[in-house]
Amino acid sequence: CFMQDLIEDKSKIFSKNTIICLGIIALTGFLIRLFYFPEGIPITLDGTLYFWYANDLSITGTFPANVDLANNGWPTFLSVFFHFFNSENFLDYMMLQRYVTVIISVATIIPVFILCRKFCGNKLSLIGALLFAFQPRIIENSISGLTEPLFILLELVCLVLFLQNSLKFKYLSFAILALACLVRYEAIVLLIPLSILFLVENRKYKKNVPRYFLAISIFLVVSLPMAFVRMNTMGYDGIASHSIAAVSTIGEDGGTIYLGIISLIESVGVSVFPIFFVLLPLGFFGFFKNRNFDKYTVLLFLIFMLIPIIYASSRGIAEPRYLLVLFPIFSLISIYTIKEITKKINRTKLIPIIFVIAILLPSIVFLDYNMIDYEHELEAYAIGLEVSRNTSAISDYHPESKYAHNKIDVVTNLETFPILSSEIKQKVKLIETHGFYSLNEFIDYGEGEGLSHIVVDDNQNRPQFLKDVFRNEEKHMYLSKIYDSSEHGYDYHLKIFRIDYEKFDSVK
């Protein structure tokens, strides 16, 4: 019966059928990501920092200096792919950046399966891999070109290696943790549980302490070279420096941790919806029902992974993507709920199909509901180039302004690429409109900041004085319209007005 298959012999991890099933899960996960892939849309915001760092490193072969990017592990890894890639279109490199994160995300199902296999049979472990591969937030993040896919993979591999019985794998887990620290410095907190667990597990051996010093030495050998590079190029090591700064901040304002925990609870509730929201509560009970050292290892990793997230929440940074590193462990815990469900269902032949539908369908519905309007983004990008060509300092119109206030607006018009980021001048300056209650007040302030144009669109969340300009442009005699996107066939309606300061001074 199906339940007997779930509790099958654990001696062989990758059977032929297992490899086939993992291949199907990986292919399906990859195709879903391709379906939602933002083809032709540039990477913006944080992603551009990694893009330009990788670009400059791939061109010069030396680490960029005077770049404030503590977490440079991901762009350093990405630069290898850029080095062997050949194109004169910068968008091709940005698409490559997204494809690399997609591949890493899909490949992560292998260590997820191995983690689950440590505690369950093959079929339940395959469901665990399925849970991770089809998580909508994992899918969304995997096409963004950001650090999370590589960070999740490295921290997960660290945990999986430590759970193995071989001492060599435990040593290797320290090396992998060092690499994770280079991708995101907050991984350093895992050195605490890793050290505790290593010493406890090896406490009966006389060479316990020398073994631990060897493990720490491996960690340092892997992490110190990049730390020295950062010291030379940025002025800080990026791991100890930022960790000490974080601890100091907590010491100065410890009361914010309580708010961070409250914020974390809210973020977790949002992040685990829809699939984990149902499976996790009973899964926690089932997973820790029969406790052992391996389960305590997972629990300790989970607790320490939460610490940086609580800290970020306490600083007002409660982004769901920071919780994604917990999803492999959530997948493991969730299959204990599925294990309980299988005990209650007699139609065993339908169970695999039911689970696949129950996991895949909510994910697709969630993705479709939250799907970025790619047509709007493509139009915002095209219009952003017009804003860049015709202006120098403008009123901010976030989030669409990211396509105007970015080096991509300049590099789009270049005939050759790659080119060093230092050779590209930022063209457009954004002036924040928040905190102003009238157009006159804003322009008065903006004049000292070099404000030359007012950019308005049909976004209902804009300040009232900007919405008034958009709807009643004829009222403002000192504004001269130089661009209207509706006249060029765009659905996204945006207008650009040049400010005539002589007329403004005469009527204000």
Side-chain angles (χ1 to χ4, degrees), residues 457-471:
D457 60 13
D458 54 5
N459 189 325
Q460 295 304 308
N461 296 322
R462 304 293 180 217
Q464 185 59 45
F465 66 87
L466 290 183
K467 289 192 283 188
D468 183 60
V469 172
F470 182 81
R471 296 167 184 165

Side-chain angles (χ1 to χ4, degrees), residues 320-341:
R321 68 187 179 100
Y322 293 141
L323 291 157
L324 299 183
V325 70
L326 307 176
F327 278 32
I329 295 179
F330 286 170
S331 298
L332 166 64
I333 293 171
S334 295
I335 61 178
Y336 278 80
T337 298
I338 294 173
K339 185 176 181 180
E340 291 299 317
I341 294 174

Side-chain angles (χ1 to χ4, degrees), residues 50-64 72-80 82-83 226 229 420-421:
Y50 306 122
F51 171 80
W52 287 114
Y53 192 98
N55 172 77
D56 291 357
L57 179 54
S58 69
I59 294 173
T60 65
T62 58
F63 290 93
N72 67 337
W74 159 236
T76 299
F77 176 74
L78 181 63
S79 68
V80 177
F82 281 10
H83 179 74
M226 182 59 79
V229 167
L420 292 174
S421 61

